[in-house]
Amino acid sequence: MNHNETATFIVVLLNSGTVTHLQHLMTKSFVEHMALGEYYDEIIELVDSFAEAYQGKYGQIEDYPEVSDFNKNPLQYLEMIQEFVQISREHLPQDSELQNIVDEIADLVNTTVYKLKFLK
């Protein structure tokens, strides 16, 4: 099994926890502060669950790509992550147990986008 797509998925989403944590610290908006705090708290656990379940089924990923992107605009950044998850899921294993975790990740991203977009 080629782990490249899955490794990229994991790294980008783990990185999103760091990026949103920094955005959380830099915002002057209480709503952004709370929404980003919830996101970075939950995304790491969900991605870890996905990575462990994937590796339990398909073997250990031994090489991860480097990722570094930072966008000071939380809504733009999370909308980019939203699109990334939607596109990436087609290239990930289609096992229902793994896709269920991807569903939870997509739900967290969608909910955070909602909060950033509509709760001011």
Side-chain angles (χ1 to χ4, degrees):
M1 160 131 304
N2 183 342
H3 298 303
N4 292 341
E5 296 279 348
T6 303
T8 298
F9 181 75
I10 291 167
V11 167
V12 167
L13 291 174
L14 286 175
N15 186 61
S16 78
T18 299
V19 170
T20 55
H21 197 155
L22 293 171
Q23 292 169 335
H24 162 87
L25 295 171
M26 294 180 349
T27 187
K28 291 178 172 44
S29 163
F30 179 74
V31 171
E32 278 186 4
H33 183 80
M34 297 306 291
L36 295 169
E38 290 173 18
Y39 178 83
Y40 77 74
D41 274 347
E42 293 180 35
I43 194 64
I44 301 301
E45 186 176 322
L46 285 170
V47 175
D48 186 66
S49 292
F50 176 84
E52 289 177 357
Y54 173 87
Q55 291 183 123
K57 186 156 190 173
Y58 293 104
Q60 189 170 22
I61 298 171
E62 296 180 7
D63 190 33
Y64 287 92
E66 290 186 29
V67 161
S68 64
D69 60 357
F70 186 77
N71 183 332
K72 288 187 179 183
N73 183 307
L75 179 57
Q76 286 177 354
Y77 180 73
L78 268 295
E79 286 176 333
M80 181 195 75
I81 295 295
Q82 188 178 42
E83 183 178 351
F84 172 78
V85 170
Q86 188 61 37
I87 291 168
S88 295
R89 77 180 313 141
E90 297 171 16
H91 304 285
L92 298 171
Q94 297 301 303
D95 307 281
S96 63
E97 68 273 20
L98 294 172
Q99 284 294 319
N100 283 340
I101 300 170
V102 175
D103 287 342
E104 290 182 57
I105 290 168
D107 179 56
L108 175 62
V109 174
N110 294 342
T111 300
T112 305
V113 166
Y114 163 77
K115 290 175 182 176
L116 293 175
K117 199 180 267 189
F118 299 110
L119 303 181
K120 301 279 180 186

